Amino acid sequence: MSNVALAQTLQSPGTFPTTPGETAPGSASPYQPPFTVPDLDRERDHTRDGSEMVAPRDQTGMGVSGIDRSLAARVPAIDAPLDPDAYVCGPGDILELNFWGVQNFKLRVTVDLEGRAFVPKTGFLDLGGKTLSQARRIMRDSVARFYPRLSFDVTLAEPRTFLVQVVDDVKRPGSYPARALDRVASLIARAGGFGPNASRRRIEIRRRDGKELRADLLVYSLTGDVAQNPYLLDGDVVRVPFEELAATVDGAVNRPGRYELTGKRDLAELVELAGGLAPTATQRLPISLVRRSKEDRQDQTLLPFGADGSLPTATIQHEDSVRIPAFADLQRSVMIIGAIAGATAPNDATATRRLPFVQGDSVRTLLDRVGGVGPLADLTGAYVLRNGTSLPVNLYQLVMVRDLSADRPVELGDSLVVPFKRRSILVEGAVFKAGEYPYNPNFGIQQYLSLAGGRNRFAQGLSSVRVVTPNGETKKYASDLNVEPGSSVIVPERNFSRSEVVQIFLGAAGIVLSGVAVVISARK
């Protein structure tokens, strides 16, 4: 049979010719066609194994359901044209072979689990791992020569579906189906979204061949740069790590909020992520940087702008809070920062209040205007920050005892800082590992001593251990004593008796005499 006759046979509602006793690939018996050619009166759907399901069309040219199922079910939603040089073919892809010229017809073939595609009259073609452009060249070289009077091309009719692992800080880690046209953000959404401490900027995509990619979904959401939201491939593992360094910025910026820093990790990067300085920003006031100190207190640092109006150079640490001043701050006002009423955490937005300054204001009147201090306030560590100088304020005497002599007047531009009290337990004295340990409401004195390695040989008896509460009250040891957050456990050292001192002295003298005897023997 000639090539033109073969093409005419394919165009007609007949079947691909076979010889007696020949079984076409994929057929159950001789003379069963490996494929049929679509015509104007039929609609065909193709399953994953390459077979076809034929449904009659109605008078409108649509399927029996009244909709064009080939468009509704086959065309995936995409955000950019498919790049044939980047798309990698794999098992499950459905390719469409289009012929036109003397006769017009099309065929659909499926890439099998071994990465091969069977084309009638041509055989199996190895397409797995090839880009779509490479697959086109292979099929053109192998198929087109059987139809010299017909033009021929290949297109991707339906992308494959595969499983991708999503792990670490997502709400529902596991395996999720994806197509080669799906991006990282869509798959994380299927996994329930990000966890509470998830990094949106350091997402890792580990490929089956060992290659690793990075995705920055924060930059993608802010700029729309799809390069920061790559496509997925078979065997990918998407890992969403935890945040390493995140800080909060508010005030005169275009996008106040909390951002993770991955670049230089400085003030300039934080302001850039926040959309830059707002038109309401002023350079006449310094930038406020609030940071947690080693003593679990909040320390505020004022950073003035440069002479040319540039941002000050400052390295940002985890959980820092930065406030950019606005021209409204030039008005008569004072600040209250820390554990005031309603504040639940040092970096909470409710932990900072700006109040209009009234002549004659004092610490007491400011606290009255914000509703007082919160239950987590460190009443003995409060201070007024004035021109970079800390002026201590005893809020315990002022608030608890109502001793008005502890009140202090405030001036325009002052900041009243009420630190959050320490939650950890400090173990000091004759223990092996003195230091701070996390507070546990179920622990007593002995458990905290165990965390510190226990009492050493210089420690006094267990009955001499004392607990100092955050309010300065000293309590004697008791097995059922409740250790409050921020308390200190003190293990005093014992005094040596006269006999112990004599024994230590004799031991030291013996060591010295032994050394002298060794030196004399060496000289002889």
Side-chain angles (χ1 to χ4, degrees):
M1 180 180 294
S2 66
N3 291 330
V4 175
L6 174 63
Q8 292 174 346
T9 304
L10 294 175
Q11 162 68 10
S12 65
T15 62
F16 188 85
T18 57
T19 57
E22 178 183 356
T23 302
S27 301
S29 62
Y31 307 106
Q32 181 176 349
F35 64 93
T36 55
V37 181
D39 53 54
L40 297 178
D41 298 324
R42 290 184 169 186
E43 176 187 33
R44 306 184 188 281
D45 286 337
H46 298 259
T47 61
R48 289 290 185 185
D49 60 1
S51 61
E52 296 180 339
M53 296 182 295
V54 182
R57 291 181 178 269
D58 58 14
Q59 295 180 354
T60 63
M62 309 299 280
V64 293
S65 61
I67 61 173
D68 191 341
R69 291 179 294 156
S70 63
L71 290 177
R74 301 303 185 196
V75 179
I78 58 176
D79 56 6
L82 179 68
D83 184 2
D85 294 325
Y87 185 90
V88 180
C89 297
D93 281 333
I94 297 179
L95 303 177
E96 189 170 80
L97 288 66
N98 296 278
F99 296 85
W100 68 92
V102 178
Q103 299 293 333
N104 300 326
F105 61 95
K106 62 180 63 176
L107 305 174
R108 284 193 175 187
V109 297
T110 302
V111 181
D112 63 18
L113 296 179
E114 299 181 19
R116 304 180 304 168
F118 178 79
V119 180
K121 250 332 196 186
T122 303
F124 286 98
L125 301 177
D126 187 9
L127 304 181
K130 306 293 193 302
T131 65
L132 185 57
S133 297
Q134 294 171 337
R136 280 175 176 167
R137 288 193 293 268
I138 293 174
M139 300 188 81
R140 283 170 182 168
D141 297 340
S142 303
V143 177
R145 67 174 179 266
F146 290 97
Y147 312 98
R149 299 180 61 184
L150 297 177
S151 298
F152 167 77
D153 204 351
V154 180
T155 186
L156 177 67
E158 182 179 351
R160 65 192 180 277
T161 300
F162 45 82
L163 291 178
V164 173
Q165 311 293 326
V166 186
V167 297
D168 261 13
D169 196 14
V170 291
K171 293 183 179 179
R172 296 190 301 272
S175 301
Y176 292 90
R179 286 185 167 184
L181 299 178
D182 287 337
R183 296 184 182 271
V184 173
S186 60
L187 202 69
I188 293 178
R190 294 175 196 170
F194 292 98
N197 298 314
S199 170
R200 290 163 173 78
R201 306 201 60 195
R202 297 181 297 107
I203 301 171
E204 302 174 3
I205 302 98
R206 300 176 183 174
R207 292 275 152 89
R208 187 162 48 191
D209 58 1
K211 184 179 179 181
E212 290 191 4
L213 302 179
R214 286 290 183 95
D216 191 334
L217 295 187
L218 175 62
V219 174
Y220 167 71
S221 63
L222 296 179
T223 65
D225 183 7
V226 294
Q228 301 296 334
N229 187 19
Y231 288 117
L232 297 168
L233 290 179
D234 315 49
D236 281 356
V237 177
V238 178
R239 177 177 174 269
V240 181
F242 296 93
E243 287 180 339
E244 281 189 352
L245 192 157
T248 302
V249 58
D250 61 1
V253 289
N254 291 311
R255 275 192 304 265
R258 175 185 171 89
Y259 297 96
E260 183 183 10
L261 306 183
T262 61
K264 295 183 179 180
R265 303 186 176 189
D266 57 3
L267 180 61
E269 181 184 0
L270 181 62
V271 173
E272 180 181 1
L273 292 174
L277 297 178
T280 57
T282 178
Q283 300 174 4
R284 296 176 58 186
L285 293 176
I287 296 174
S288 170
L289 172 63
V290 179
R291 176 173 297 168
R292 176 183 175 183
S293 66
K294 295 181 180 179
E295 294 79 19
D296 290 339
R297 296 175 182 268
Q298 280 187 303
D299 291 339
Q300 177 176 267
T301 304
L302 299 179
L303 307 172
F305 284 87
D308 57 350
S310 60
L311 288 171
T313 302
T315 301
I316 301 298
Q317 296 183 10
H318 190 51
E319 299 298 346
D320 279 356
S321 179
V322 175
R323 189 180 189 281
I324 306 299
F327 69 85
D329 299 333
L330 294 172
Q331 309 305 315
R332 299 171 62 86
S333 63
V334 290
M335 293 279 292
I336 302 182
I337 304 171
I340 56 179
T344 58
N347 292 325
D348 190 22
T350 58
T352 302
R353 295 283 300 276
R354 179 175 295 276
L355 301 176
F357 174 73
V358 178
Q359 193 67 34
D361 259 341
S362 65
V363 172
R364 181 181 61 83
T365 58
L366 290 181
L367 292 178
D368 289 341
R369 290 163 65 183
V370 297
V373 296
L376 301 179
D378 182 1
L379 299 180
T380 60
Y383 58 93
V384 173
L385 186 64
R386 179 178 300 163
N387 298 325
T389 303
S390 298
L391 306 176
V393 179
N394 191 342
L395 292 185
Y396 180 79
Q397 291 294 119
L398 179 61
V399 175
M400 304 301 293
V401 184
R402 304 299 295 177
D403 183 2
L404 298 183
S405 63
D407 196 7
R408 178 185 290 275
V410 295
E411 300 178 0
L412 178 64
D414 282 355
S415 296
L416 173 61
V417 181
V418 184
F420 286 79
K421 62 184 177 182
R422 178 170 54 86
R423 298 283 297 172
S424 58
I425 304 299
L426 183 63
V427 182
E428 295 180 320
V431 292
F432 286 98
K433 294 184 296 183
E436 290 188 11
Y437 295 92
Y439 169 72
N440 189 322
N442 298 322
F443 280 10
I445 295 178
Q446 293 186 359
Q447 284 77 15
Y448 287 113
L449 293 179
S450 298
L451 292 177
R455 295 177 295 125
N456 58 31
R457 64 189 185 91
F458 301 109
Q460 296 185 21
L462 195 60
S463 59
S464 62
V465 176
R466 297 291 184 268
V467 175
V468 180
T469 66
N471 297 330
E473 181 183 359
T474 301
K475 298 182 179 180
K476 296 182 179 180
Y477 170 81
S479 59
D480 58 348
L481 179 62
N482 181 30
V483 182
E484 301 177 19
S487 299
S488 298
V489 178
I490 311 298
V491 181
E493 294 183 352
R494 62 188 177 93
N495 297 322
F496 293 101
S497 62
R498 180 175 299 178
S499 60
E500 290 176 329
V501 173
V502 173
Q503 289 178 359
I504 294 174
F505 176 77
L506 293 177
I511 294 174
V512 173
L513 292 177
S514 298
V516 172
V518 171
V519 172
I520 294 174
S521 299
R523 290 182 176 179
K524 290 182 178 181

